[in-house]
Amino acid sequence: MSTNSHSGNDLSEVKQLGMWAAISSLGYIFWLVGGMELVERIAYYGVKASAGLYAKTPVSEGGLGINLSDYGLIVSVWALLQTFIPVLTGGISDRVGYKETIFVSTIVKICGYLTMAFFPSFWGFLAGAMLLAIGTGVFKPGIQGTLVLSTNRNNTSMAWGIFYQVVNIGGFLGPLVAVHMRQLSWDNVFFACAAIISFNFLFLLAYKEPGKEDRLERTRQVKSGEVKQEALWKDALKELKKPIVIYYMLVFAGFWFLFNSLFDVLPIHIAEWVDTSVIVTSLFGPEGTSNGILQFWLGLSNDGTKVMPEGMLNLNAGMIMTTCFIVAALTAKYRITTTMFVGCLLSILAIALVGAFNAAWMIVLAIAMFSVGEMMISPKKNEFMGNIAPEGKKAMYLGFVMLPQGIGWTLEGYFGPKLYDIYASKERIAREVLSDNGMSLTDIANIPQGEAFSRLVSSTGQDPQVLTQALYNANNIGMAWYIIAVIGITSAVGIFIYGKWLLRMQRQQVA
């Protein structure tokens, strides 16, 4: 394959500045967009982390009361819109201006949260998720394009590492807000998120678009006819047809299937099968803790006796928030594709652990291992695309980053909850046991969605935790997670081959 297929793409890897030199070289605009991303992520993860729990909570308790296959349909539509829209909006941001697109996206996202609050039904939540997806798809390229233009090739590794760390501060705080808001009532989660993202209007007052003069000059030249500008879709399609972009999309799609299952399915798995009171007992004794500060920061239940599913998953964001810059510094000296390959392997191992054990501390270990893998792969994808993008197409290429995520997340959004429904849904298993115990199919069908296990508890008279463990032991709950791990393995093999191919291309370009 000739290097002509990469014309305009710079495949060289530049020596990075040291950690402190890189940090001190970042200007105010970098930190400003970091703040905007932080606010947006607090609101976004407030909903994302608890969406599956909201979906399966019975209507009698304020939830949607839908089955996991229906929830999967919502997530797949959400994923499809959120990840494919930036492919178009990236190029629009480059041409129209980052400030303008960030402003519009914030309004759309507020509408999404309010729709979820006012219409608590399958269709209401789907409409809210679609608005949220469109808003996020418009928001991302403007923020990331600004970041690329406010950094240089010598500090990109550190810049993306820090940016990813800031994202995860939002990812850490959002679920904590959701944990405590939803224990009051579910609509409070959505109202809180709408209020939080409104703070970005204040940041926009201080925002100044880097490279605006160049953009306006480019626009002037196009209008005067000095420069011919292709239709946006043609321009994007031309870049997408380059092998370096096509292969990137294919090999990373499997990782994003794996990645999103952690956020879409693991909270449900923890809520149904993992006794998290073991962790609280280990830390504070059998009575738990009544300390409100600890309850908030650890994501505990209001009585302080167990860790809520979002609190467990928050270890992921907490680790990234506190250690991502260290991982960025340690991996800066290695080839980007090598780092991403090792990160993928760690994530696969973590998912296999979730399948093998339901002991609370083993789930903690799996989430910690997954987090290290994520830190090795996720910031690097942006650095990689930002580096190889031709001039004037940075936001477009950062929109392309979303394509493998789009393929992986859309497929996972549909199949992840469905796999879990087939192999591990406590609701489905409880209905089967009720049938085996002699309850008529008509009576079982009349049990509201989400209430089958509590009906089984009352009919057997068993302790809920003892019954949960008995059901876990009698069913192959881990199978869903093993299937997801296998999908990740195919991606890891692809990343390894892609890295070797890219190294050959780099050597050809240098020669």
Side-chain angles (χ1 to χ4, degrees), residues 156-191:
T156 53
S157 189
M158 204 65 215
W160 282 113
I162 292 169
F163 183 72
Y164 199 64
Q165 194 161 357
V166 166
V167 166
N168 279 275
I169 296 172
F172 180 78
L173 293 173
L176 295 181
V177 171
V179 161
H180 298 287
M181 285 293 173
R182 76 177 174 89
Q183 289 181 82
L184 299 172
S185 76
W186 273 105
D187 59 353
N188 279 332
V189 175
F190 309 121
F191 287 131

PDB file of all heavy atoms in Angstrom, residues 156-191:
ATOM      1  N   THR A 156       0.950  17.332  23.425  1.00  0.00           N
ATOM      2  CA  THR A 156      -0.370  16.722  23.232  1.00  0.00           C
ATOM      3  C   THR A 156      -0.613  15.537  24.168  1.00  0.00           C
ATOM      4  O   THR A 156      -1.724  15.360  24.667  1.00  0.00           O
ATOM      5  CB  THR A 156      -0.584  16.233  21.785  1.00  0.00           C
ATOM      6  OG1 THR A 156       0.510  15.384  21.421  1.00  0.00           O
ATOM      7  CG2 THR A 156      -0.680  17.381  20.826  1.00  0.00           C
ATOM      8  N   SER A 157       0.409  14.718  24.395  1.00  0.00           N
ATOM      9  CA  SER A 157       0.214  13.534  25.227  1.00  0.00           C
ATOM     10  C   SER A 157      -0.249  13.939  26.623  1.00  0.00           C
ATOM     11  O   SER A 157      -1.214  13.413  27.171  1.00  0.00           O
ATOM     12  CB  SER A 157       1.503  12.716  25.311  1.00  0.00           C
ATOM     13  OG  SER A 157       1.264  11.480  25.946  1.00  0.00           O
ATOM     14  N   MET A 158       0.436  14.945  27.194  1.00  0.00           N
ATOM     15  CA  MET A 158       0.090  15.422  28.539  1.00  0.00           C
ATOM     16  C   MET A 158      -1.265  16.151  28.511  1.00  0.00           C
ATOM     17  O   MET A 158      -2.079  15.996  29.420  1.00  0.00           O
ATOM     18  CB  MET A 158       1.187  16.378  29.034  1.00  0.00           C
ATOM     19  CG  MET A 158       1.262  16.476  30.526  1.00  0.00           C
ATOM     20  SD  MET A 158       1.760  14.911  31.255  1.00  0.00           S
ATOM     21  CE  MET A 158       0.821  14.934  32.745  1.00  0.00           C
ATOM     22  N   ALA A 159      -1.492  16.938  27.447  1.00  0.00           N
ATOM     23  CA  ALA A 159      -2.738  17.710  27.357  1.00  0.00           C
ATOM     24  C   ALA A 159      -3.957  16.786  27.317  1.00  0.00           C
ATOM     25  O   ALA A 159      -4.921  16.997  28.051  1.00  0.00           O
ATOM     26  CB  ALA A 159      -2.722  18.598  26.109  1.00  0.00           C
ATOM     27  N   TRP A 160      -3.890  15.743  26.483  1.00  0.00           N
ATOM     28  CA  TRP A 160      -5.017  14.815  26.404  1.00  0.00           C
ATOM     29  C   TRP A 160      -5.168  14.033  27.706  1.00  0.00           C
ATOM     30  O   TRP A 160      -6.288  13.726  28.132  1.00  0.00           O
ATOM     31  CB  TRP A 160      -4.865  13.856  25.216  1.00  0.00           C
ATOM     32  CG  TRP A 160      -5.224  14.488  23.906  1.00  0.00           C
ATOM     33  CD1 TRP A 160      -4.380  14.770  22.873  1.00  0.00           C
ATOM     34  CD2 TRP A 160      -6.519  14.945  23.485  1.00  0.00           C
ATOM     35  NE1 TRP A 160      -5.069  15.362  21.836  1.00  0.00           N
ATOM     36  CE2 TRP A 160      -6.385  15.485  22.185  1.00  0.00           C
ATOM     37  CE3 TRP A 160      -7.781  14.950  24.079  1.00  0.00           C
ATOM     38  CZ2 TRP A 160      -7.453  16.011  21.473  1.00  0.00           C
ATOM     39  CZ3 TRP A 160      -8.845  15.479  23.363  1.00  0.00           C
ATOM     40  CH2 TRP A 160      -8.683  16.001  22.079  1.00  0.00           C
ATOM     41  N   GLY A 161      -4.042  13.704  28.341  1.00  0.00           N
ATOM     42  CA  GLY A 161      -4.102  13.006  29.627  1.00  0.00           C
ATOM     43  C   GLY A 161      -4.809  13.838  30.684  1.00  0.00           C
ATOM     44  O   GLY A 161      -5.684  13.365  31.406  1.00  0.00           O
ATOM     45  N   ILE A 162      -4.428  15.130  30.759  1.00  0.00           N
ATOM     46  CA  ILE A 162      -5.049  16.033  31.745  1.00  0.00           C
ATOM     47  C   ILE A 162      -6.525  16.258  31.397  1.00  0.00           C
ATOM     48  O   ILE A 162      -7.388  16.238  32.275  1.00  0.00           O
ATOM     49  CB  ILE A 162      -4.303  17.395  31.786  1.00  0.00           C
ATOM     50  CG1 ILE A 162      -2.902  17.207  32.368  1.00  0.00           C
ATOM     51  CG2 ILE A 162      -5.074  18.421  32.616  1.00  0.00           C
ATOM     52  CD1 ILE A 162      -2.002  18.418  32.212  1.00  0.00           C
ATOM     53  N   PHE A 163      -6.794  16.448  30.123  1.00  0.00           N
ATOM     54  CA  PHE A 163      -8.174  16.667  29.683  1.00  0.00           C
ATOM     55  C   PHE A 163      -9.046  15.473  30.065  1.00  0.00           C
ATOM     56  O   PHE A 163     -10.156  15.628  30.575  1.00  0.00           O
ATOM     57  CB  PHE A 163      -8.201  16.875  28.162  1.00  0.00           C
ATOM     58  CG  PHE A 163      -9.568  17.177  27.608  1.00  0.00           C
ATOM     59  CD1 PHE A 163     -10.169  18.406  27.834  1.00  0.00           C
ATOM     60  CD2 PHE A 163     -10.245  16.235  26.848  1.00  0.00           C
ATOM     61  CE1 PHE A 163     -11.434  18.692  27.311  1.00  0.00           C
ATOM     62  CE2 PHE A 163     -11.506  16.508  26.328  1.00  0.00           C
ATOM     63  CZ  PHE A 163     -12.084  17.737  26.559  1.00  0.00           C
ATOM     64  N   TYR A 164      -8.514  14.275  29.843  1.00  0.00           N
ATOM     65  CA  TYR A 164      -9.260  13.060  30.181  1.00  0.00           C
ATOM     66  C   TYR A 164      -9.471  12.963  31.689  1.00  0.00           C
ATOM     67  O   TYR A 164     -10.496  12.480  32.159  1.00  0.00           O
ATOM     68  CB  TYR A 164      -8.505  11.837  29.659  1.00  0.00           C
ATOM     69  CG  TYR A 164      -9.389  10.625  29.544  1.00  0.00           C
ATOM     70  CD1 TYR A 164     -10.465  10.626  28.649  1.00  0.00           C
ATOM     71  CD2 TYR A 164      -9.175   9.496  30.313  1.00  0.00           C
ATOM     72  CE1 TYR A 164     -11.296   9.528  28.538  1.00  0.00           C
ATOM     73  CE2 TYR A 164      -9.995   8.391  30.202  1.00  0.00           C
ATOM     74  CZ  TYR A 164     -11.051   8.410  29.309  1.00  0.00           C
ATOM     75  OH  TYR A 164     -11.876   7.321  29.208  1.00  0.00           O
ATOM     76  N   GLN A 165      -8.476  13.444  32.433  1.00  0.00           N
ATOM     77  CA  GLN A 165      -8.592  13.453  33.894  1.00  0.00           C
ATOM     78  C   GLN A 165      -9.722  14.402  34.330  1.00  0.00           C
ATOM     79  O   GLN A 165     -10.532  14.074  35.201  1.00  0.00           O
ATOM     80  CB  GLN A 165      -7.265  13.908  34.493  1.00  0.00           C
ATOM     81  CG  GLN A 165      -7.131  13.661  35.967  1.00  0.00           C
ATOM     82  CD  GLN A 165      -5.678  13.689  36.398  1.00  0.00           C
ATOM     83  OE1 GLN A 165      -4.791  13.833  35.579  1.00  0.00           O
ATOM     84  NE2 GLN A 165      -5.433  13.552  37.674  1.00  0.00           N
ATOM     85  N   VAL A 166      -9.785  15.559  33.705  1.00  0.00           N
ATOM     86  CA  VAL A 166     -10.839  16.549  34.007  1.00  0.00           C
ATOM     87  C   VAL A 166     -12.220  15.974  33.671  1.00  0.00           C
ATOM     88  O   VAL A 166     -13.174  16.124  34.430  1.00  0.00           O
ATOM     89  CB  VAL A 166     -10.585  17.865  33.211  1.00  0.00           C
ATOM     90  CG1 VAL A 166     -11.806  18.762  33.240  1.00  0.00           C
ATOM     91  CG2 VAL A 166      -9.378  18.600  33.771  1.00  0.00           C
ATOM     92  N   VAL A 167     -12.305  15.287  32.505  1.00  0.00           N
ATOM     93  CA  VAL A 167     -13.552  14.628  32.110  1.00  0.00           C
ATOM     94  C   VAL A 167     -14.022  13.696  33.225  1.00  0.00           C
ATOM     95  O   VAL A 167     -15.204  13.625  33.555  1.00  0.00           O
ATOM     96  CB  VAL A 167     -13.333  13.809  30.808  1.00  0.00           C
ATOM     97  CG1 VAL A 167     -14.479  12.840  30.556  1.00  0.00           C
ATOM     98  CG2 VAL A 167     -13.166  14.742  29.617  1.00  0.00           C
ATOM     99  N   ASN A 168     -13.070  12.987  33.820  1.00  0.00           N
ATOM    100  CA  ASN A 168     -13.430  11.992  34.826  1.00  0.00           C
ATOM    101  C   ASN A 168     -13.713  12.588  36.194  1.00  0.00           C
ATOM    102  O   ASN A 168     -14.319  11.907  37.027  1.00  0.00           O
ATOM    103  CB  ASN A 168     -12.366  10.900  34.889  1.00  0.00           C
ATOM    104  CG  ASN A 168     -12.578   9.888  33.787  1.00  0.00           C
ATOM    105  OD1 ASN A 168     -13.351   8.961  33.925  1.00  0.00           O
ATOM    106  ND2 ASN A 168     -11.930  10.104  32.651  1.00  0.00           N
ATOM    107  N   ILE A 169     -13.315  13.826  36.436  1.00  0.00           N
ATOM    108  CA  ILE A 169     -13.805  14.511  37.644  1.00  0.00           C
ATOM    109  C   ILE A 169     -15.317  14.672  37.503  1.00  0.00           C
ATOM    110  O   ILE A 169     -16.088  14.402  38.422  1.00  0.00           O
ATOM    111  CB  ILE A 169     -13.116  15.875  37.841  1.00  0.00           C
ATOM    112  CG1 ILE A 169     -11.614  15.696  38.084  1.00  0.00           C
ATOM    113  CG2 ILE A 169     -13.744  16.633  39.024  1.00  0.00           C
ATOM    114  CD1 ILE A 169     -10.808  16.983  38.099  1.00  0.00           C
ATOM    115  N   GLY A 170     -15.742  15.070  36.291  1.00  0.00           N
ATOM    116  CA  GLY A 170     -17.173  15.154  35.998  1.00  0.00           C
ATOM    117  C   GLY A 170     -17.828  13.789  36.070  1.00  0.00           C
ATOM    118  O   GLY A 170     -18.917  13.633  36.627  1.00  0.00           O
ATOM    119  N   GLY A 171     -17.124  12.784  35.505  1.00  0.00           N
ATOM    120  CA  GLY A 171     -17.637  11.422  35.539  1.00  0.00           C
ATOM    121  C   GLY A 171     -17.743  10.866  36.953  1.00  0.00           C
ATOM    122  O   GLY A 171     -18.547   9.977  37.218  1.00  0.00           O
ATOM    123  N   PHE A 172     -16.938  11.394  37.860  1.00  0.00           N
ATOM    124  CA  PHE A 172     -16.957  10.976  39.271  1.00  0.00           C
ATOM    125  C   PHE A 172     -18.092  11.664  40.032  1.00  0.00           C
ATOM    126  O   PHE A 172     -18.823  11.035  40.793  1.00  0.00           O
ATOM    127  CB  PHE A 172     -15.612  11.316  39.918  1.00  0.00           C
ATOM    128  CG  PHE A 172     -15.507  10.927  41.368  1.00  0.00           C
ATOM    129  CD1 PHE A 172     -15.276   9.615  41.742  1.00  0.00           C
ATOM    130  CD2 PHE A 172     -15.625  11.881  42.370  1.00  0.00           C
ATOM    131  CE1 PHE A 172     -15.169   9.245  43.079  1.00  0.00           C
ATOM    132  CE2 PHE A 172     -15.527  11.531  43.707  1.00  0.00           C
ATOM    133  CZ  PHE A 172     -15.297  10.212  44.065  1.00  0.00           C
ATOM    134  N   LEU A 173     -18.243  12.969  39.815  1.00  0.00           N
ATOM    135  CA  LEU A 173     -19.246  13.738  40.564  1.00  0.00           C
ATOM    136  C   LEU A 173     -20.674  13.468  40.084  1.00  0.00           C
ATOM    137  O   LEU A 173     -21.603  13.437  40.895  1.00  0.00           O
ATOM    138  CB  LEU A 173     -18.937  15.234  40.451  1.00  0.00           C
ATOM    139  CG  LEU A 173     -17.644  15.708  41.144  1.00  0.00           C
ATOM    140  CD1 LEU A 173     -17.366  17.168  40.807  1.00  0.00           C
ATOM    141  CD2 LEU A 173     -17.728  15.516  42.647  1.00  0.00           C
ATOM    142  N   GLY A 174     -20.854  13.248  38.764  1.00  0.00           N
ATOM    143  CA  GLY A 174     -22.196  13.041  38.207  1.00  0.00           C
ATOM    144  C   GLY A 174     -22.963  11.901  38.869  1.00  0.00           C
ATOM    145  O   GLY A 174     -24.088  12.100  39.350  1.00  0.00           O
ATOM    146  N   PRO A 175     -22.375  10.687  38.921  1.00  0.00           N
ATOM    147  CA  PRO A 175     -23.093   9.574  39.558  1.00  0.00           C
ATOM    148  C   PRO A 175     -23.384   9.807  41.041  1.00  0.00           C
ATOM    149  O   PRO A 175     -24.405   9.335  41.550  1.00  0.00           O
ATOM    150  CB  PRO A 175     -22.127   8.393  39.373  1.00  0.00           C
ATOM    151  CG  PRO A 175     -21.342   8.748  38.155  1.00  0.00           C
ATOM    152  CD  PRO A 175     -21.166  10.233  38.227  1.00  0.00           C
ATOM    153  N   LEU A 176     -22.505  10.541  41.746  1.00  0.00           N
ATOM    154  CA  LEU A 176     -22.752  10.828  43.167  1.00  0.00           C
ATOM    155  C   LEU A 176     -23.985  11.718  43.315  1.00  0.00           C
ATOM    156  O   LEU A 176     -24.800  11.530  44.232  1.00  0.00           O
ATOM    157  CB  LEU A 176     -21.536  11.503  43.803  1.00  0.00           C
ATOM    158  CG  LEU A 176     -20.250  10.664  43.878  1.00  0.00           C
ATOM    159  CD1 LEU A 176     -19.139  11.456  44.542  1.00  0.00           C
ATOM    160  CD2 LEU A 176     -20.489   9.360  44.637  1.00  0.00           C
ATOM    161  N   VAL A 177     -24.102  12.694  42.418  1.00  0.00           N
ATOM    162  CA  VAL A 177     -25.306  13.545  42.407  1.00  0.00           C
ATOM    163  C   VAL A 177     -26.537  12.660  42.176  1.00  0.00           C
ATOM    164  O   VAL A 177     -27.545  12.771  42.881  1.00  0.00           O
ATOM    165  CB  VAL A 177     -25.205  14.624  41.297  1.00  0.00           C
ATOM    166  CG1 VAL A 177     -26.531  15.358  41.132  1.00  0.00           C
ATOM    167  CG2 VAL A 177     -24.089  15.626  41.624  1.00  0.00           C
ATOM    168  N   ALA A 178     -26.426  11.738  41.189  1.00  0.00           N
ATOM    169  CA  ALA A 178     -27.557  10.867  40.846  1.00  0.00           C
ATOM    170  C   ALA A 178     -27.949   9.949  42.005  1.00  0.00           C
ATOM    171  O   ALA A 178     -29.131   9.772  42.290  1.00  0.00           O
ATOM    172  CB  ALA A 178     -27.214  10.036  39.606  1.00  0.00           C
ATOM    173  N   VAL A 179     -26.933   9.361  42.682  1.00  0.00           N
ATOM    174  CA  VAL A 179     -27.197   8.440  43.800  1.00  0.00           C
ATOM    175  C   VAL A 179     -28.096   9.085  44.838  1.00  0.00           C
ATOM    176  O   VAL A 179     -29.092   8.502  45.289  1.00  0.00           O
ATOM    177  CB  VAL A 179     -25.871   7.997  44.477  1.00  0.00           C
ATOM    178  CG1 VAL A 179     -26.127   7.444  45.880  1.00  0.00           C
ATOM    179  CG2 VAL A 179     -25.182   6.926  43.648  1.00  0.00           C
ATOM    180  N   HIS A 180     -27.770  10.320  45.200  1.00  0.00           N
ATOM    181  CA  HIS A 180     -28.500  10.961  46.299  1.00  0.00           C
ATOM    182  C   HIS A 180     -29.792  11.625  45.819  1.00  0.00           C
ATOM    183  O   HIS A 180     -30.775  11.657  46.555  1.00  0.00           O
ATOM    184  CB  HIS A 180     -27.564  11.916  47.039  1.00  0.00           C
ATOM    185  CG  HIS A 180     -26.404  11.164  47.649  1.00  0.00           C
ATOM    186  ND1 HIS A 180     -26.556  10.363  48.761  1.00  0.00           N
ATOM    187  CD2 HIS A 180     -25.126  11.022  47.258  1.00  0.00           C
ATOM    188  CE1 HIS A 180     -25.395   9.783  49.044  1.00  0.00           C
ATOM    189  NE2 HIS A 180     -24.515  10.169  48.145  1.00  0.00           N
ATOM    190  N   MET A 181     -29.800  12.101  44.577  1.00  0.00           N
ATOM    191  CA  MET A 181     -31.029  12.675  44.027  1.00  0.00           C
ATOM    192  C   MET A 181     -32.095  11.604  43.807  1.00  0.00           C
ATOM    193  O   MET A 181     -33.268  11.805  44.098  1.00  0.00           O
ATOM    194  CB  MET A 181     -30.739  13.398  42.701  1.00  0.00           C
ATOM    195  CG  MET A 181     -30.053  14.731  42.873  1.00  0.00           C
ATOM    196  SD  MET A 181     -31.137  15.921  43.690  1.00  0.00           S
ATOM    197  CE  MET A 181     -30.021  17.287  43.949  1.00  0.00           C
ATOM    198  N   ARG A 182     -31.686  10.438  43.297  1.00  0.00           N
ATOM    199  CA  ARG A 182     -32.685   9.399  42.983  1.00  0.00           C
ATOM    200  C   ARG A 182     -33.266   8.760  44.240  1.00  0.00           C
ATOM    201  O   ARG A 182     -34.352   8.186  44.191  1.00  0.00           O
ATOM    202  CB  ARG A 182     -32.105   8.353  42.041  1.00  0.00           C
ATOM    203  CG  ARG A 182     -31.152   7.320  42.633  1.00  0.00           C
ATOM    204  CD  ARG A 182     -30.766   6.338  41.527  1.00  0.00           C
ATOM    205  NE  ARG A 182     -29.753   5.377  41.908  1.00  0.00           N
ATOM    206  CZ  ARG A 182     -30.007   4.187  42.462  1.00  0.00           C
ATOM    207  NH1 ARG A 182     -31.251   3.842  42.736  1.00  0.00           N
ATOM    208  NH2 ARG A 182     -29.017   3.353  42.724  1.00  0.00           N
ATOM    209  N   GLN A 183     -32.552   8.851  45.362  1.00  0.00           N
ATOM    210  CA  GLN A 183     -33.119   8.327  46.606  1.00  0.00           C
ATOM    211  C   GLN A 183     -34.223   9.248  47.150  1.00  0.00           C
ATOM    212  O   GLN A 183     -35.007   8.853  48.006  1.00  0.00           O
ATOM    213  CB  GLN A 183     -32.017   8.107  47.643  1.00  0.00           C
ATOM    214  CG  GLN A 183     -31.106   6.924  47.284  1.00  0.00           C
ATOM    215  CD  GLN A 183     -30.020   6.664  48.322  1.00  0.00           C
ATOM    216  OE1 GLN A 183     -30.249   6.030  49.337  1.00  0.00           O
ATOM    217  NE2 GLN A 183     -28.832   7.175  48.050  1.00  0.00           N
ATOM    218  N   LEU A 184     -34.276  10.484  46.598  1.00  0.00           N
ATOM    219  CA  LEU A 184     -35.403  11.393  46.893  1.00  0.00           C
ATOM    220  C   LEU A 184     -36.529  11.118  45.896  1.00  0.00           C
ATOM    221  O   LEU A 184     -37.628  10.752  46.272  1.00  0.00           O
ATOM    222  CB  LEU A 184     -34.937  12.844  46.809  1.00  0.00           C
ATOM    223  CG  LEU A 184     -33.817  13.258  47.780  1.00  0.00           C
ATOM    224  CD1 LEU A 184     -33.319  14.661  47.457  1.00  0.00           C
ATOM    225  CD2 LEU A 184     -34.307  13.191  49.225  1.00  0.00           C
ATOM    226  N   SER A 185     -36.234  11.296  44.605  1.00  0.00           N
ATOM    227  CA  SER A 185     -37.156  10.889  43.537  1.00  0.00           C
ATOM    228  C   SER A 185     -36.395  10.951  42.217  1.00  0.00           C
ATOM    229  O   SER A 185     -35.470  11.759  42.072  1.00  0.00           O
ATOM    230  CB  SER A 185     -38.399  11.787  43.485  1.00  0.00           C
ATOM    231  OG  SER A 185     -38.080  13.028  42.894  1.00  0.00           O
ATOM    232  N   TRP A 186     -36.795  10.118  41.250  1.00  0.00           N
ATOM    233  CA  TRP A 186     -36.039  10.009  40.006  1.00  0.00           C
ATOM    234  C   TRP A 186     -36.021  11.301  39.194  1.00  0.00           C
ATOM    235  O   TRP A 186     -35.015  11.644  38.584  1.00  0.00           O
ATOM    236  CB  TRP A 186     -36.585   8.855  39.156  1.00  0.00           C
ATOM    237  CG  TRP A 186     -35.962   7.536  39.508  1.00  0.00           C
ATOM    238  CD1 TRP A 186     -36.540   6.514  40.215  1.00  0.00           C
ATOM    239  CD2 TRP A 186     -34.643   7.099  39.192  1.00  0.00           C
ATOM    240  NE1 TRP A 186     -35.656   5.467  40.347  1.00  0.00           N
ATOM    241  CE2 TRP A 186     -34.482   5.799  39.729  1.00  0.00           C
ATOM    242  CE3 TRP A 186     -33.572   7.672  38.515  1.00  0.00           C
ATOM    243  CZ2 TRP A 186     -33.306   5.063  39.604  1.00  0.00           C
ATOM    244  CZ3 TRP A 186     -32.395   6.936  38.391  1.00  0.00           C
ATOM    245  CH2 TRP A 186     -32.266   5.653  38.932  1.00  0.00           C
ATOM    246  N   ASP A 187     -37.145  12.060  39.180  1.00  0.00           N
ATOM    247  CA  ASP A 187     -37.152  13.272  38.346  1.00  0.00           C
ATOM    248  C   ASP A 187     -36.151  14.316  38.849  1.00  0.00           C
ATOM    249  O   ASP A 187     -35.675  15.158  38.075  1.00  0.00           O
ATOM    250  CB  ASP A 187     -38.558  13.866  38.212  1.00  0.00           C
ATOM    251  CG  ASP A 187     -39.177  14.244  39.544  1.00  0.00           C
ATOM    252  OD1 ASP A 187     -38.590  13.932  40.596  1.00  0.00           O
ATOM    253  OD2 ASP A 187     -40.273  14.851  39.536  1.00  0.00           O
ATOM    254  N   ASN A 188     -35.800  14.253  40.145  1.00  0.00           N
ATOM    255  CA  ASN A 188     -34.791  15.174  40.685  1.00  0.00           C
ATOM    256  C   ASN A 188     -33.437  15.033  39.985  1.00  0.00           C
ATOM    257  O   ASN A 188     -32.692  16.005  39.857  1.00  0.00           O
ATOM    258  CB  ASN A 188     -34.587  14.931  42.192  1.00  0.00           C
ATOM    259  CG  ASN A 188     -35.660  15.604  43.024  1.00  0.00           C
ATOM    260  OD1 ASN A 188     -36.227  16.608  42.613  1.00  0.00           O
ATOM    261  ND2 ASN A 188     -35.969  15.038  44.177  1.00  0.00           N
ATOM    262  N   VAL A 189     -33.120  13.805  39.545  1.00  0.00           N
ATOM    263  CA  VAL A 189     -31.855  13.566  38.833  1.00  0.00           C
ATOM    264  C   VAL A 189     -31.811  14.426  37.574  1.00  0.00           C
ATOM    265  O   VAL A 189     -30.834  15.124  37.299  1.00  0.00           O
ATOM    266  CB  VAL A 189     -31.703  12.072  38.453  1.00  0.00           C
ATOM    267  CG1 VAL A 189     -30.450  11.851  37.596  1.00  0.00           C
ATOM    268  CG2 VAL A 189     -31.653  11.190  39.693  1.00  0.00           C
ATOM    269  N   PHE A 190     -32.900  14.414  36.809  1.00  0.00           N
ATOM    270  CA  PHE A 190     -32.931  15.107  35.518  1.00  0.00           C
ATOM    271  C   PHE A 190     -32.978  16.634  35.694  1.00  0.00           C
ATOM    272  O   PHE A 190     -32.327  17.367  34.944  1.00  0.00           O
ATOM    273  CB  PHE A 190     -34.117  14.601  34.689  1.00  0.00           C
ATOM    274  CG  PHE A 190     -34.161  13.096  34.606  1.00  0.00           C
ATOM    275  CD1 PHE A 190     -35.272  12.382  35.063  1.00  0.00           C
ATOM    276  CD2 PHE A 190     -33.084  12.384  34.106  1.00  0.00           C
ATOM    277  CE1 PHE A 190     -35.303  10.997  35.003  1.00  0.00           C
ATOM    278  CE2 PHE A 190     -33.104  10.994  34.045  1.00  0.00           C
ATOM    279  CZ  PHE A 190     -34.217  10.296  34.499  1.00  0.00           C
ATOM    280  N   PHE A 191     -33.730  17.099  36.688  1.00  0.00           N
ATOM    281  CA  PHE A 191     -33.758  18.549  36.952  1.00  0.00           C
ATOM    282  C   PHE A 191     -32.374  19.046  37.384  1.00  0.00           C
ATOM    283  O   PHE A 191     -31.920  20.115  36.959  1.00  0.00           O
ATOM    284  CB  PHE A 191     -34.795  18.875  38.043  1.00  0.00           C
ATOM    285  CG  PHE A 191     -36.223  18.765  37.576  1.00  0.00           C
ATOM    286  CD1 PHE A 191     -37.159  18.046  38.311  1.00  0.00           C
ATOM    287  CD2 PHE A 191     -36.641  19.381  36.399  1.00  0.00           C
ATOM    288  CE1 PHE A 191     -38.483  17.936  37.886  1.00  0.00           C
ATOM    289  CE2 PHE A 191     -37.955  19.282  35.960  1.00  0.00           C
ATOM    290  CZ  PHE A 191     -38.878  18.558  36.713  1.00  0.00           C
TER     291      PHE A 191
END
